[in-house]
Amino acid sequence: MQKTLVIIKPDSVKRRLVGEIISRFEEKGFEILGLKLMAIPEILARKNYSEHEGKDFFEKLITFMTSGPVVVLAISGKNAIAVTRTMMGKTACHEAAPGTIRGDFGLSNRFNLIHGSDSHESAEREIELFFNKNDLIDPEQTGLQWIYDLSD
């Protein structure tokens, strides 16, 4: 099973969309391996988004991500990275398809509700930034055997 990191951003938390967003991932069949409500310290935000350093939106992104609480999830499932990114929708919310999180709840480019890892390498790095190994449940203890034919 593939793991990925999802951050429910401050705008989603302030708009009380956390339950709706988590429900979508659970209903799709993903398992939550770790979940925390937190305020992201600036140093952690800068590490997480370091690939964007030097871009014109970087400082605004850091300010936004540290502006209020977020909910961070480590989730697991088949093709978790690609599927969660499809479920999130295009970054520019006004371009996101209906049925996606951004398409259903967003209109902004900067206040775009949710972050998801974009590759296996990013997912590993980001999960390690936000969770200690002891914070995550063992994927063997989840109910994935009731969602997927694990003999594949």
Side-chain angles (χ1 to χ4, degrees), residues 37-86:
L37 174 69
M38 65 181 293
I40 299 178
E42 184 178 337
I43 192 164
L44 180 55
R46 288 183 180 281
K47 281 183 187 175
N48 191 59
Y49 292 104
S50 61
E51 71 271 12
H52 300 301
E53 194 165 1
K55 295 178 182 172
D56 62 342
F57 63 86
F58 180 72
E59 292 302 326
K60 288 180 180 179
L61 174 62
I62 300 306
T63 299
F64 170 55
M65 292 303 295
T66 59
S67 68
V70 300
V71 174
V72 184
L73 300 127
I75 62 175
S76 176
K78 282 191 176 180
N79 303 308
I81 295 166
V83 175
T84 58
R85 291 186 64 79
T86 298

Side-chain angles (χ1 to χ4, degrees), residues 1-6 25 28-33 73-88 114-120 123 127 144 148:
M1 290 296 123
Q2 190 175 61
K3 294 183 212 172
T4 192
L5 184 95
V6 170
F25 292 119
K28 186 69 173 177
F30 290 114
E31 285 289 335
I32 297 172
L33 303 179
L73 300 127
I75 62 175
S76 176
K78 282 191 176 180
N79 303 308
I81 295 166
V83 175
T84 58
R85 291 186 64 79
T86 298
M87 291 174 68
M88 291 186 314
I114 192 164
H115 164 90
S117 302
D118 63 3
S119 68
H120 178 71
I127 289 169
L144 288 178
Y148 303 111

